[in-house]
């Protein structure tokens, strides 16, 4: 489903290379975990996949279902089914959350040639998704993410993900800022989305989340490259022995 | 001795003087009114203000008012649909108020022309200083308008809407409202028309003790109109005034706001939304005097600048020595959507009392790339995402108005503007 080939990317503004020849492939139905110490380039990779303009791809390619996405803008990528749950979701004053959800859902439906959702249908879906995530509907009356706590923002990201039903779900440090109960709720939400035609990429630098969202594959990202890949045991090994061993091996 | 005495008159200055000679015999008013009109003309004869005059620094009227069209009595203007459905309409069409209209319960309505003839409005026709040009043009030429007296304690639940509509030429109108003690009302002032025109409009509002007024100015002139407007208000004890101004048109726009908080405990909110497109020049200039203790004011101006438009906001807050515990906050934020547009903000605080809380801030920004990315990452195309963000920026100010019908009506106006200019 996702094929990243020898990807090189740099910060557009100052030319610093962050991703340095990264290869990764994730199959439909797979849950892949990307781990690595802070500053390795995990968030950068997720932003590049989502199409953020701050980064320039200088070499390599990203294929999604066999098609290069490099020329697509973020909205087009979202419409093809790519979703990123942000590490730091942005607060957007003045944009009502419900209005935003309606616009986003219907924009994607339209791009896929589906009919727009009517307000009652939309409300029903939002309510049921919010219930599952134990979110208060009143929160959704506020402007998008404004005044949400860290944990509420993370839940709101998962709410959006459930509603948009993407094909590739990327979660960037979704566990940070969540207490253990919230973590379980969010993990349940993600697990409910697991399906043979959907891939999940979980970015984290702790093993903790992976107890609840059990990955099929684990990849270690360090200095802009995947330096080691393995099964879920690799995550346990990293938890026990830290990254130093793996980094030393690769060097 | 006049600082800006000119050796040669501009075409516009000459046309104003000629218009006066042609019009004076037909303008309504008693003898004293005529004296005021003559005085106003003298001020105009000294020349229109240039950028050398501080109050006009960002709007060089002498340069910007390039033409003054002749009167066009032959064309006819029609009233427009009210901003809010249930409103009581008081139209002034091509400078003439309606003679046939129903009454409004709790409000005494009269024609301004009649009041000028009776001579009981002359005190309002004076000018504040040699550069009170908007008031002077209006005093010289004003033909009609309305006077409203709202009874003490009256709760006027249907909005009253003045409509100053022209079909080109020149229009000079005036509106005066007295809100009696403890009364409550919403007033809408519509400024619109078609064809090339010079419009001057002056509004006076007295908010008596404990009264509460929401006054909405909606300026939607075509881009062939020079629109010179002045709003003045005095606030009694514990009076509350919210002035909402939406500028959504015009070639040259000067909207002056002069508010005197002379009643203890009175409060004033100014909310402005300036939608600037094309080659418009739009200037909102406010002078607010806090004269009494425990007065409160907030001013929030939000601007969108596209095309080659130029915007100006001058906000001067003066706090008198006796106005202790004054609390005033002023903010002017601009979204610049084009490299060729500009916005100048000049906040000014003059504080003579020692125990006050006053602050101001001005920003000029572009749409946040991060916000745009976030919305697009959810599948919203760039144009729609930009539209959402721009609207959000403005809607924050509109949504403070509390009244659902008013908010909805103004947001519709926003949408309509974006359809035309977005
Ligand atoms: N837009 C940017 N501007 C400057 N530095 C950046 C930017 N994006 C990423 N970086 C730098 O790139 C490196 C990788 O960052 P990031 O992808 O956030 O790492 P991780 O998510 O693995 O902690 C860090 O050193 C970070 O400071
Ligand atoms: Mg990160």
């Amino acid at each position: 489903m996702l094929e990243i080939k020898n990807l090189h990317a740099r910060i557009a503004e100052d030319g610093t290379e962050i991703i340095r020849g990264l290869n990764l492939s994730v199959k439909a139905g797979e849950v892949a975990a990307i781990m690595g110490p802070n500053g390795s380039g995990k968030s950068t990779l997720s932003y590049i996949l989502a199409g953020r303009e701050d980064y320039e791809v200088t070499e390599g390619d990203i294929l999604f279902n066999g098609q290069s996405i490099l020329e697509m803008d973020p909205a087009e990528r979202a419409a093809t089914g790519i979703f990123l749950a942000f590490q730091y979701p942005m607060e957007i004053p003045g944009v009502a959350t419900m209005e935003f959800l309606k616009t986003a859902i219907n924009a994607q439906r339209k791009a896929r040639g589906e009919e727009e959702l009517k307000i009652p249908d939309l409300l029903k879906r939002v309510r049921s998704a919010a219930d599952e995530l134990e979110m208060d509907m009143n929160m959704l009356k506020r402007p998008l993410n404004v005044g949400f706590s860290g944990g509420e923002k993370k839940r709101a990201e998962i709410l959006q993900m459930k509603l948009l039903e993407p094909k590739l779900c990327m979660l960037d440090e979704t566990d940070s800022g969540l207490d253990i109960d919230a973590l379980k709720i969010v993990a349940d939400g993600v697990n409910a989305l697991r399906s043979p035609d959907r891939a999940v990429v979980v970015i984290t630098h702790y093993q903790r989340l992976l107890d609840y969202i059990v990955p099929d594959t684990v990849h270690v990202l360090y200095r802009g490259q995947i330096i080691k890949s393995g099964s879920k045991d690799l995550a346990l090994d990293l938890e026990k022995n830290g990254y130093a061993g793996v980094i030393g091996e690769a060097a | 001795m006049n600082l800006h005495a000119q050796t040669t008159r501009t075409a516009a200055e000459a046309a104003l003087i000629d218009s006066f000679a042609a019009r004076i015999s037909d303008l309504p008013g008693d003898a004293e009114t005529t004296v005021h009109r003559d005085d106003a003309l003298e001020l105009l004869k000294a020349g229109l203000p240039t950028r050398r005059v501080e109050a006009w620094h960002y709007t060089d009227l002498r340069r910007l008012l390039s033409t003054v069209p002749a009167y066009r009595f032959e064309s006819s203007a029609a009233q427009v649909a009210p901003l809010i459905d249930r409103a009581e309409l008081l139209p002034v069409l091509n400078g003439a108020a309606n003679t046939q209209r129903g009454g409004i319960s709790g409000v005494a309505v009269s024609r301004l022309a009649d009041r000028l003839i009776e001579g009981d409005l002359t005190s309002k026709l004076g000018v504040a200083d040699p550069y009170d040009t908007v008031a002077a043009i209006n005093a010289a030429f004003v033909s009609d308008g309305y006077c409203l007296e709202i009874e003490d304690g009256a709760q006027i639940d249907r909005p009253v809407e003045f409509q100053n509509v022209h079909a080109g030429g020149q229009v000079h109108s005036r509106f005066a409202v007295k809100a009696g003690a403890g009364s409550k009302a919403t007033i809408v002032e519509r400024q619109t028309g078609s064809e090339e025109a010079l419009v001057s409009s002056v509004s006076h509002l007295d908010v008596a003790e404990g009264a509460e007024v929401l006054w909405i100015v909606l300026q939607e002139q075509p881009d062939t109109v020079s629109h010179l407007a002045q709003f003045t208000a005095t606030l009694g004890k514990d009076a509350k005034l919210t002035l909402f101004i939406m500028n959504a048109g015009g070639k040259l726009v000067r909207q002056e706001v002069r508010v005197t908080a002379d009643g203890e405990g009175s409060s004033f909110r100014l909310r402005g939304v300036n939608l600037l497109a094309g080659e418009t020049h739009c200037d909102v200039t406010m002078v607010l005097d806090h004269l009494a203790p425990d007065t409160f004011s907030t001013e929030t101006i939000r601007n969108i600048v596209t095309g080659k438009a130029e915007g100006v906001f001058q906000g001067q807050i003066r706090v008198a020595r006796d106005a202790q515990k004054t609390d005033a906050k002023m903010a002017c934020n601009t979204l610049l959507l084009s490299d060729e547009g500009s916005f100048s903000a000049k906040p000014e605080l003059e504080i003579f009392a020692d125990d006050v809380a006053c602050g101001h801030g001005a920003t000029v920004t572009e749409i946040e790339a991060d916000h745009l990315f976030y919305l697009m990452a959810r599948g919203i195309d760039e144009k729609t995402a930009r539209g959402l963000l721009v609207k959000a920026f403005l809607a924050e100010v509109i949504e403070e108005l509390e009244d659902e019908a008013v908010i909805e009506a103004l947001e519709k106006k926003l949408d309509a503007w974006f359809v035309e200019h977005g």
Side-chain angles (χ1 to χ4, degrees), chain B residues 245-261:
Chain B
I245 299 172
M246 185 186 279
N247 280 307
K251 175 176 76 177
L252 164 63
V253 178
R254 167 93 165 185
Q255 170 71 62
E256 299 176 346
V257 175
R258 297 181 182 180
V259 174
T260 311

Side-chain angles (χ1 to χ4, degrees), chain B residues 336-393:
Chain B
L336 200 54
L337 301 178
S338 123
D339 296 340
E340 293 175 295
S342 70
F343 200 96
S344 312
K346 185 183 167 203
E348 235 181 315
L349 301 178
E350 264 182 39
I351 301 171
F352 298 102
D354 44 29
D355 183 15
V356 300
C358 293
H360 64 76
T363 60
V364 177
T365 51
E366 292 165 26
I367 285 181
E368 293 238 15
D370 284 358
H371 291 174
L372 189 62
F373 172 59
Y374 188 89
L375 296 181
M376 289 180 73
R378 298 305 181 239
I380 302 172
D381 69 83
E382 181 167 354
K383 187 162 188 259
T384 309
R386 281 183 185 277
L388 271 179
L389 292 172
V390 173
K391 234 188 99 176
F393 172 74

Side-chain angles (χ1 to χ4, degrees), chain B residues 28-352:
Chain B
D30 65 346
E32 207 186 327
T33 300
T34 308
V35 172
H36 281 293
R37 291 189 190 279
D38 289 339
D39 288 349
L41 181 74
E42 287 308 310
L43 190 148
L44 298 177
K45 277 184 176 165
L48 295 172
T50 68
R51 56 180 300 115
R52 288 198 297 273
V53 176
E54 200 186 344
W56 292 91
H57 182 72
Y58 298 94
T59 300
D60 188 322
L61 192 65
R62 187 166 193 262
R63 185 173 61 81
L64 291 169
L65 187 68
S66 46
T67 54
V68 169
Y71 277 87
R72 287 177 57 181
F73 296 109
E74 74 291 353
S75 55
S76 68
Q79 68 182 47
V80 296
L83 175 67
I84 300 148
D85 283 342
R86 323 171 288 118
E88 306 268 10
L89 292 191
L90 293 174
V92 179
L93 306 177
N94 263 358
N98 207 343
T99 45
Q100 268 125 29
R101 66 196 130 61
I104 302 172
S105 138
V107 188
V109 182
S110 54
R111 269 186 77 169
L112 192 111
D114 294 340
R115 304 292 293 272
L116 288 174
I117 292 163
E118 287 154 20
D120 49 12
L121 268 185
T122 43
S123 63
K124 302 259 159 114
L125 287 183
V127 294
D129 59 60
Y131 308 113
D132 197 359
T133 310
V134 176
I137 291 176
N138 190 269
F141 294 100
V142 62
S143 58
D144 213 345
Y146 293 98
C147 295
L148 265 51
E149 277 167 61
I150 302 170
E151 288 168 14
D152 289 355
Q155 310 289 301
I156 313 300
D157 43 67
R158 290 172 63 178
V160 176
E161 177 166 322
F162 298 125
Q163 293 191 347
N164 192 26
V165 190
H166 65 84
Q170 282 188 47
V171 165
H172 305 278
S173 310
R174 222 168 239 252
F175 305 93
V177 176
K178 265 199 181 121
S183 65
K184 194 172 173 193
T186 296
I187 311 279
V188 180
E189 176 189 323
R190 297 287 293 278
Q191 301 285 353
T192 187
S194 54
E195 310 289 327
E196 186 189 357
L198 168 67
V199 175
S200 80
S201 184
V202 170
S203 299
H204 284 294
L205 170 66
D206 264 321
V207 192
E209 180 170 344
E212 199 177 326
V213 174
L214 167 61
W215 187 297
I216 298 165
V217 176
L218 178 54
Q219 182 274 115
E220 300 171 285
Q221 301 284 12
D223 61 8
T224 47
V225 170
S226 298
H227 180 84
L228 307 176
Q230 189 176 79
F231 173 92
T232 64
T234 54
L235 308 181
K237 188 169 182 292
D238 297 324
K240 285 195 175 74
L241 169 62
T242 298
L243 173 63
F244 184 92
I245 299 172
M246 185 186 279
N247 280 307
K251 175 176 76 177
L252 164 63
V253 178
R254 167 93 165 185
Q255 170 71 62
E256 299 176 346
V257 175
R258 297 181 182 180
V259 174
T260 311
D262 45 11
E264 209 172 313
S266 58
S267 71
F268 173 58
R269 284 198 296 184
L270 171 66
R271 295 293 177 270
V273 166
N274 295 308
L275 310 173
L276 311 183
E279 298 188 8
T280 194
H281 176 100
C282 177
D283 172 335
V284 175
T285 291
M286 179 199 80
V287 180
L288 167 62
D289 280 299
H290 284 269
L291 297 184
D294 291 310
T295 51
F296 180 84
S297 82
T298 59
E299 296 79 26
T300 310
I301 307 289
R302 295 269 167 111
N303 316 296
I304 298 292
V305 182
T306 68
K308 294 183 179 168
E310 302 169 338
V312 179
F313 173 66
Q314 304 188 93
Q316 189 181 28
I317 299 179
R318 304 191 290 214
V319 181
R321 188 163 291 118
D322 295 335
Q324 300 295 356
K325 308 273 183 214
T326 290
D327 189 338
K329 265 179 212 75
M330 176 159 59
C332 177
N333 310 105
T334 303
L335 259 190
L336 200 54
L337 301 178
S338 123
D339 296 340
E340 293 175 295
S342 70
F343 200 96
S344 312
K346 185 183 167 203
E348 235 181 315
L349 301 178
E350 264 182 39
I351 301 171
F352 298 102

